[in-house]
């Protein structure tokens, strides 16, 4: 590991000031950052410890939603009674990720910012446009079983590894960001992540020195079906081959609310608003579900090792929507 300066921030303002304009990384739980530094995939000049900041509360908001502090541990968030009752998809997604020990350390903000688990990104001897722009993407012709089938480019086909972010996408969360001038802005999670395009090294909308301070969830959808279906190689401690987060509501026999998000298939938690619109106001049926899945996969492209993800995602989405149709409401 290369040498670096370590600074412990006492305030959010101090954290952003220290990091602004520098090759800096914030550290909270460090469950991903420390591995990347040990492998010299990341070599920050400054590491800013933010664990003393007052960002570890889960609070009710005026509109009936929740404000989740960036330092709330994944285990605390999954166990919160309000989350379990009103945002069950989030609790289930969190509990499907990593291990109990890691969930105790991993934080809400850090989970959103974790880096891809692409083998070539972690292997500094392999070309990787995300790690070293312009060197090439080894996964295109290499081992790509875990890689993207939607939203990728010829420069990068890596996937985003978070389970939590997939659930938050289905819940239509918003990310609260502290800017270096002391102002705060909010970015819908849908817009927070960048697609690789020709610049796979840029993964999100954060500017130098900016810090995630919280995630906002809107008021819950009452009487909703919520599910997180994760398909993986083993029952625990494995990243998704594909996953589906669903928040649906049925009124008078038709879908009155549809929130869908997908993991393990794209460079960011994937949401397709056209697929949601196809379902909204429609009477549930297997034919409708298959049409929605076909629309989702219209531009899907496998790369050899991950071709199986296309039919797998279709079957998984149809299964989740079929469960939603049988959930009830006043259908």
């Amino acid at each position: 590991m290369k040498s670096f300066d370590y600074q412990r921030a006492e305030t959010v303002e101090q954290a952003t000031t220290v990091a602004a304009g520098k090759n800096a990384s914030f550290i909270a739980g460090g469950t991903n950052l420390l591995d990347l530094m040990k492998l010299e995939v990341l070599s920050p000049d400054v590491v800013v410890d933010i664990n003393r900041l007052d960002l570890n509360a889960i609070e009710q908001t005026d509109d009936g939603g929740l404000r989740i502090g960036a330092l709330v541990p994944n285990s605390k968030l999954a166990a919160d009674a309000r989350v379990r009752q009103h945002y069950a998809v989030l609790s289930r997604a969190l509990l499907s990720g990593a291990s109990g020990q890691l969930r105790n350390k991993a934080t809400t903000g850090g989970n959103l910012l974790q880096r891809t688990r692409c083998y070539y990104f972690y292997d500094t001897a392999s070309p990787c446009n995300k790690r070293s722009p312009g060197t090439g993407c080894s996964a295109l012709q290499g081992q790509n079983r875990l890689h993207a089938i939607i939203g990728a480019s010829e420069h990068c086909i890596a996937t985003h590894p978070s389970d939590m972010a997939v659930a938050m996408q289905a819940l239509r969360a918003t990310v609260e960001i502290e800017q270096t001038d002391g102002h705060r802005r909010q970015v819908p999670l849908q817009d927070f992540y960048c697609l690789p395009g020709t610049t796979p090294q840029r993964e999100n909308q954060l500017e130098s020195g900016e810090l995630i301070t919280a995630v906002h969830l809107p008021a819950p959808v009452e009487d909703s079906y919520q599910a997180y279906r994760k398909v993986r190689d083993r029952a625990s401690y494995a990243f998704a081959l594909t996953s589906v987060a669903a928040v649906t509501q049925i009124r008078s026999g038709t879908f009155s609310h549809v929130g869908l998000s997908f993991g393990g298939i794209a460079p960011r938690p994937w949401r397709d608003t056209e697929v949601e619109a196809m379902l909204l106001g429609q009477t549930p049926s297997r034919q409708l579900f298959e049409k929605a899945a076909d629309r989702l996969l219209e531009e899907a492209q496998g790369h050899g090792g991950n071709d199986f993800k296309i039919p797998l995602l279709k079957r998984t989405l149809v299964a989740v929507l079929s469960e939603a149709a049988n959930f009830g409401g006043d259908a």
Side-chain angles (χ1 to χ4, degrees):
M1 185 185 296
K2 294 183 180 179
S3 61
F4 57 90
D5 291 334
Y6 170 85
Q7 297 199 35
R8 180 176 289 163
E10 303 292 339
T11 65
V12 172
E13 180 182 10
Q14 182 184 7
T16 58
T17 299
V18 169
K22 300 182 179 71
N23 176 26
S25 294
F26 296 114
I27 188 168
T31 57
N32 188 207
L33 177 63
L34 293 180
D35 286 341
L36 294 171
M37 290 178 65
K38 289 175 182 178
L39 295 170
E40 297 188 2
V41 174
L42 290 182
S43 299
D45 297 323
V46 181
V47 173
V48 184
D49 189 333
I50 60 172
N51 280 292
R52 291 190 176 184
L53 305 186
D54 186 20
L55 300 174
N56 57 2
I58 305 173
E59 303 166 304
Q60 200 84 25
T61 58
D62 292 339
D63 64 356
L66 290 181
R67 180 183 183 272
I68 303 163
L71 293 181
V72 173
N74 286 175
S75 55
K76 177 181 177 180
L77 183 58
D80 185 269
R82 293 161 295 183
V83 174
R84 293 174 62 189
Q85 180 177 357
H86 299 296
Y87 305 97
V89 63
L90 176 57
S91 181
R92 292 166 186 166
L94 286 163
L95 292 174
S96 75
S99 65
Q101 295 92 330
L102 286 173
R103 291 194 295 270
N104 285 337
K105 290 293 293 181
T107 61
T108 299
N111 190 303
L112 292 178
L113 297 176
Q114 62 181 301
R115 309 295 298 275
T116 181
R117 277 6 186 233
C118 173
Y119 336 106
Y120 303 105
F121 175 70
Y122 274 77
D123 180 6
T124 55
S126 298
C128 172
N129 286 322
K130 186 180 288 292
R131 189 186 65 248
S132 301
T135 59
C137 176
S138 298
L140 281 169
Q141 303 300 324
Q143 297 293 321
N144 51 43
R145 187 168 184 272
L146 296 178
H147 289 68
I149 55 172
I150 298 175
S153 75
E154 62 181 4
H155 297 275
C156 181
I157 59 171
T159 55
H160 194 273
S162 174
D163 293 293
M164 183 195 79
V166 178
M168 286 185 168
Q169 184 83 288
L171 292 166
R172 299 174 184 173
T174 300
V175 183
E176 177 186 294
I177 299 169
E178 181 86 7
Q179 299 175 276
T180 55
D181 61 4
H183 292 91
R184 287 188 177 177
R185 61 188 177 105
Q186 293 195 18
V187 179
L189 189 60
Q190 169 78 353
D191 302 324
F192 179 71
Y193 294 107
C194 302
L195 291 179
T198 60
T199 56
Q201 71 277 13
R202 181 172 175 82
E203 298 179 347
N204 55 61
Q205 300 294 341
L206 289 176
E207 302 292 343
S208 175
E210 289 188 333
L211 175 68
I212 294 176
T213 49
V215 174
H216 291 253
L217 299 181
V221 180
E222 298 301 333
D223 300 321
S224 61
Y225 165 84
Q226 297 191 25
Y228 186 72
R229 179 76 65 89
K230 181 177 181 179
V231 183
R232 46 187 164 174
D233 284 326
R234 54 184 184 272
S236 65
Y237 206 69
F239 294 100
L241 297 171
T242 186
S243 64
V244 178
V247 181
T248 64
Q249 182 190 67
I250 294 176
R251 289 285 183 266
S252 301
T254 64
F255 283 111
S256 55
H257 178 92
V258 179
L260 295 172
S261 184
F262 307 91
I265 62 162
R268 66 185 184 196
W270 194 257
R271 180 184 172 203
D272 190 320
T273 55
E274 292 187 14
V275 172
E276 293 176 344
M278 282 183 64
L279 296 167
L280 198 60
Q282 300 299 309
T283 302
S285 70
R286 185 175 182 87
Q287 182 180 23
L288 174 66
F289 302 156
E290 290 184 347
K291 285 184 177 179
D294 289 340
R295 171 61 189 88
L296 174 67
L297 292 163
E298 273 184 3
E299 299 181 5
Q301 179 182 358
H303 302 279
N306 66 350
D307 292 348
F308 71 95
K309 285 191 177 187
I310 296 175
L312 176 62
L313 179 57
K314 180 174 181 176
R315 292 197 302 269
T316 306
L317 176 57
V318 170
V320 169
L321 290 175
S322 297
E323 286 184 1
N326 293 325
F327 174 71
D330 65 352

